[in-house]
Amino acid sequence: MSKRIYPGTAALVLLIALVATPLSAQVRGMPEVSPDAHVTQVVGVAKIKIAYHRPAVNDRDIFGALVPDGGVWRAGANENTTITFSAPAKVQGQSIGAGTYGLHMIPEGNDWTIIFSNNSTSWGSFSYDQAEDALRVTTTASKAPFTERLTFDFENLDNDSATVFLQWAETKIPFEVEFDTHGLALASMQNQLRSRAGFNFLGFTSAANYLVQNDIEHEQALAWADQALGMQRNFATVFTKSRVLRMMGQEAEAEAMMVEAVPLGNEGQVNFLGYQFMQAEDYDQAIEIFQKNVDDHPESWNVYDSLGEAYAAKGDTQRARNLYSKALEMAPDGQKPRIQGILDNMS
């Protein structure tokens, strides 16, 4: 009769644990072969966030081998690589809604298809279903400096767009993302002005000045400037109305509002106003404004410095020299070398 062999107690416990315990309950906290990574970029007032895992080249042939041509690839390792747009966007010129998408790619030599899937919670691309696509776009890959770990990053960033790119081995796969930044900002401001920001003139002046700065929505800017003036007539509200009128081509009205702003402002505000006329090369008006600051704030070195700059711009070197010399006597040590340099360069 053969003798039956039974496992020892420790081995039996281990066997039961392996059979009965789900993978999710196994010990965690060990380093991953392809570590988790996140990269985020703000574009204007919107945000792009990519969550992915970073496999290494590890002396392997990557594109055309590990990542074969024609197959759907997870653009990373482990779970879905995901990309989140905080606002509606355009990718390679095509529209996509705000939200989180599974990011997949199909290589065909240098021609790549970028896939944004409504399913963002799967493991890799194994269960990928084209019927779940939110968007497909195409791009062209290029040769790049060798990168051991797969990397997502951003370049060509401006207020409205950024180029997202994946770089791994010696290949770079870019795609452009655009947002309607001004439209998003306008909608946000309109919403905020219906709440707490709308109970103070500063909310309306800041909103109007944003529109002036970007030369957009003239009528809305005028309405907001008038609302601010209706709440309080001060330097900020009068100056804002002046800027709006100038944007709209109403130069005479704009200048009259600027002149009205002068007695309402403090030293810094009036100085800033003077430089608006300097920028417009209206040196006589700038001199008049800077002179008022000198009369009102004779103890400030900065007012003499600004008035001297205006006279120098007009070509009155002697008056400019006298004012810069006065500013030099009163200026803090950190400003003296700059002012002395101006004096040394005057003929």
Side-chain angles (χ1 to χ4, degrees):
M1 182 176 178
S2 62
K3 187 175 182 181
R4 186 174 297 176
I5 300 175
Y6 294 96
T9 302
L12 182 60
V13 169
L14 178 60
L15 178 61
I16 292 171
L18 288 174
V19 171
T21 305
L23 290 176
S24 62
Q26 291 185 30
V27 174
R28 296 179 180 273
M30 295 175 285
E32 294 184 287
V33 174
S34 300
D36 182 41
H38 298 79
V39 61
T40 300
Q41 181 62 59
V42 173
V43 180
V45 295
K47 185 181 293 185
I48 306 169
K49 179 179 179 181
I50 301 172
Y52 66 110
H53 286 77
R54 305 185 64 190
V57 173
N58 199 23
D59 294 324
R60 298 176 293 179
D61 291 330
I62 302 300
F63 298 108
L66 181 67
V67 180
D69 277 1
V72 180
W73 175 51
R74 73 184 85 184
N78 303 339
E79 301 101 325
N80 276 176
T81 294
T82 64
I83 185 166
T84 301
F85 304 114
S86 68
K90 286 188 175 181
V91 181
Q92 297 289 88
Q94 297 189 46
S95 297
I96 189 168
T100 298
Y101 301 92
L103 186 61
H104 308 267
M105 299 183 179
I106 302 175
E108 290 286 358
N110 289 331
D111 298 321
W112 284 65
T113 299
I114 313 295
I115 302 167
F116 300 85
S117 173
N118 286 311
N119 185 326
S120 63
T121 58
S122 298
W123 183 272
S125 298
F126 298 106
S127 61
Y128 165 76
D129 183 349
Q130 186 171 346
E132 297 174 324
D133 284 2
L135 178 67
R136 281 189 173 209
V137 299
T138 58
T139 189
T140 302
S142 61
K143 191 171 179 62
F146 178 81
T147 303
E148 174 66 22
R149 289 275 179 187
L150 183 148
T151 299
F152 276 96
D153 210 340
F154 303 87
E155 62 185 2
N156 303 323
L157 176 68
D158 62 27
N159 235 13
D160 303 300
S161 64
T163 300
V164 181
F165 66 89
L166 180 154
Q167 192 162 314
W168 195 26
E170 295 181 329
T171 299
K172 181 177 182 178
I173 305 101
F175 57 92
E176 186 177 22
V177 178
E178 302 171 80
F179 296 97
D180 178 12
T181 297
H182 291 323
L184 293 170
L186 180 61
S188 175
M189 289 185 292
Q190 288 172 328
N191 191 52
Q192 291 178 62
L193 289 172
R194 296 177 63 185
S195 186
R196 185 175 299 177
F199 290 88
N200 188 297
F201 72 87
L202 290 172
F204 290 102
T205 56
S206 62
N209 277 299
Y210 173 84
L211 300 182
V212 171
Q213 181 180 344
N214 292 283
D215 195 12
I216 58 174
E217 301 289 339
H218 293 191
E219 294 300 328
Q220 179 65 81
L222 183 62
W224 281 342
D226 284 336
Q227 282 180 274
L229 268 172
M231 289 179 166
Q232 190 171 327
R233 200 170 193 90
N234 58 28
F235 179 89
T237 58
V238 173
F239 177 64
T240 297
K241 177 68 177 287
S242 173
R243 293 191 74 200
V244 172
L245 291 170
R246 188 177 297 279
M247 175 180 68
M248 299 177 75
Q250 300 177 32
E251 295 292 338
E253 296 88 340
E255 184 167 331
M257 292 291 289
M258 277 202 179
V259 172
E260 181 185 340
V262 174
L264 302 174
N266 59 32
E267 178 192 340
Q269 290 171 329
V270 172
N271 212 51
F272 178 78
L273 184 58
Y275 278 107
Q276 302 304 300
F277 285 102
M278 288 279 287
Q279 188 175 4
E281 299 184 355
D282 187 348
Y283 302 124
D284 289 333
Q285 188 66 65
I287 286 169
E288 183 178 333
I289 291 172
F290 288 141
Q291 182 62 58
K292 182 183 185 303
N293 242 1
V294 169
D295 296 340
D296 291 345
H297 305 282
E299 75 291 346
S300 170
W301 67 271
N302 189 53
V303 297
Y304 298 100
D305 183 83
S306 296
L307 184 56
E309 185 177 347
Y311 273 114
K314 189 179 178 182
D316 191 335
T317 304
Q318 187 56 53
R319 286 189 180 180
R321 177 180 289 278
N322 292 340
L323 289 159
Y324 274 124
S325 296
K326 179 72 171 177
L328 182 64
E329 293 174 10
M330 303 171 66
D333 290 342
Q335 291 290 337
K336 288 184 184 295
R338 178 186 64 81
I339 299 172
Q340 186 63 63
I342 293 172
L343 286 166
D344 291 344
N345 288 324
M346 280 184 171
S347 56

